[in-house]
Amino acid sequence: LLSTELESRTPGFDPRENGSFLHRTLQLFWSRLAALHPDLSTHAALKALPTEHREQLLISAIDEALPTRPLHDGPWDLAYLQLQKDRLRFLLLDWLNHELERGPFTILQSERSELITVGPLTLNVRMDRIDQIPLSPTEPNQPEHGFVYVDYKTGFRSDPKNWQGPRPDDPQLPLYALTAQPGELQGIVFAKVRPGKDAKWLGYQAAPGIFPDKRGKSVVFLDEKVDEWRSTLTQLAEDFAHGLAHVSPKDIAINCEHCAQRLLCRLDPASLLNTIANDDDEATEDNNG
């Protein structure tokens, strides 16, 4: 029916725009840092940069990433734009401290586009970041470097637990992992760039210490995980290519909460609303309890 969601407009930048500004700012910051210290790893270059110079470099990246002026040049619009720049500066200055807590790493690629073949599908993806980390091989044929795939996230819901099962949510990182050769992948994480205690690395690492030793990063045999994801994603790609489209939301309260197509849904919209309302009531009771 060619039905599409109506675009809603709200004052200021929407979440998608804010996410794009954050990605662009970090891309500019890391590239400028690499230009300042081309002979150092990214981690060493960040560590060598004095705090005041780090902030100046970040401010210049923010100024280039965000619009030079708002849609209107009134005082309220200019103040809003400056407020957003300040917010991003505070958020990312704190996040850079989380980067410093890691072991040595070098950013190889940032915002890289790549074609990935999964079953009958060829997908055009954009990888937020690929890091290279040094390894300590114990045998002649073992690699001297490994790779870590990083996906920036600013929301609450992204969690590695969502990668489990036959219908994984947020499968971008597992999809990227399919490009790694055996033994190469050493980490696959969400970089939760959020204020305060919500900022964290969340995902899997192949050995302890690749990321700060805090809760949220499981040590797993990643080659085995990649084989599982390849099987799951290939099956989903084959189902999609063959037109398999059963109306079966995995979690109605999540998958259908923000749907703009309920009038055309093959499920009963009233039952969806009741399910979401009941889940909200249970969550409220849990929080109050």
Side-chain angles (χ1 to χ4, degrees):
L1 299 176
L2 301 180
S3 174
T4 58
E5 180 179 357
L6 294 175
E7 289 282 347
S8 60
R9 297 301 301 171
T10 57
F13 303 133
D14 60 33
R16 181 170 51 188
E17 290 173 314
N18 282 327
S20 296
F21 296 149
L22 183 141
H23 279 70
R24 179 60 176 157
T25 297
L26 287 172
Q27 182 184 20
L28 290 167
F29 176 85
W30 294 123
S31 64
R32 292 176 180 182
L33 180 65
L36 285 175
H37 298 282
D39 299 328
L40 296 178
S41 71
T42 305
H43 184 263
L46 182 63
K47 193 173 182 179
L49 197 65
T51 304
E52 61 272 17
H53 293 171
R54 189 190 312 162
E55 184 169 2
Q56 292 170 4
L57 193 66
L58 183 60
I59 289 172
S60 68
I62 291 172
D63 286 339
E64 182 173 340
L66 268 72
T68 55
R69 60 181 62 235
L71 184 61
H72 306 288
D73 287 337
W76 287 106
D77 298 283
L78 293 172
Y80 173 80
L81 181 59
Q82 186 58 49
L83 181 65
Q84 293 303 310
K85 289 183 176 182
D86 291 341
R87 180 193 68 83
L88 199 54
R89 175 168 57 90
F90 287 125
L91 176 67
L92 294 182
L93 277 175
D94 181 64
W95 176 253
L96 292 177
N97 291 326
H98 290 271
E99 299 276 5
L100 284 169
E101 292 177 352
R102 292 180 55 187
F105 68 89
T106 298
I107 297 179
L108 291 183
Q109 299 284 346
S110 182
E111 304 296 332
R112 184 177 98 178
S113 294
E114 185 165 334
L115 295 177
I116 298 179
T117 299
V118 187
L121 303 181
T122 298
L123 307 177
N124 189 357
V125 302
R126 182 179 294 274
M127 305 172 73
D128 286 356
R129 185 168 135 191
I130 302 176
D131 295 356
Q132 184 183 74
I133 63 171
L135 300 178
S136 300
T138 57
E139 298 179 8
N141 294 330
Q142 290 181 324
E144 296 183 356
H145 298 92
F147 301 101
V148 173
Y149 295 165
V150 177
D151 196 15
Y152 297 124
K153 293 293 183 183
T154 57
F156 281 106
R157 285 183 172 172
S158 298
D159 192 309
K161 294 178 182 178
N162 296 338
W163 300 334
Q164 300 174 4
R167 297 170 63 187
D169 295 323
D170 291 330
Q172 296 96 326
L173 279 172
L175 183 64
Y176 305 157
L178 303 187
T179 64
Q181 298 299 315
E184 285 187 343
L185 188 61
Q186 297 296 306
I188 180 168
V189 294
F190 290 126
K192 301 293 284 285
V193 186
R194 294 190 54 80
K197 64 180 181 180
D198 291 328
K200 63 185 71 174
W201 302 100
L202 201 60
Y204 298 133
Q205 55 186 351
I210 295 176
F211 290 93
D213 292 326
K214 298 177 182 178
R215 294 182 61 187
K217 293 159 295 300
S218 301
V219 176
V220 301
F221 182 47
L222 281 172
D223 283 354
E224 186 175 285
K225 280 286 183 185
V226 171
D227 289 341
E228 293 175 6
W229 291 331
R230 179 175 286 107
S231 177
T232 297
L233 295 174
T234 299
Q235 183 61 58
L236 290 173
E238 290 175 351
D239 290 345
F240 179 85
H242 288 90
L244 185 62
H246 298 309
V247 183
S248 178
K250 190 167 77 172
D251 189 329
I252 288 177
I254 294 176
N255 302 138
C256 303
E257 181 179 4
H258 301 292
C259 179
Q261 308 290 347
R262 287 182 183 162
L263 290 177
L264 304 177
C265 184
R266 283 174 279 176
L267 298 178
D268 180 7
S271 68
L272 301 183
L273 291 172
N274 290 335
T275 301
I276 293 172
N278 291 336
D279 286 346
D280 289 342
D281 291 341
E282 290 177 4
T284 302
E285 291 176 2
D286 290 342
N287 292 333
N288 291 337

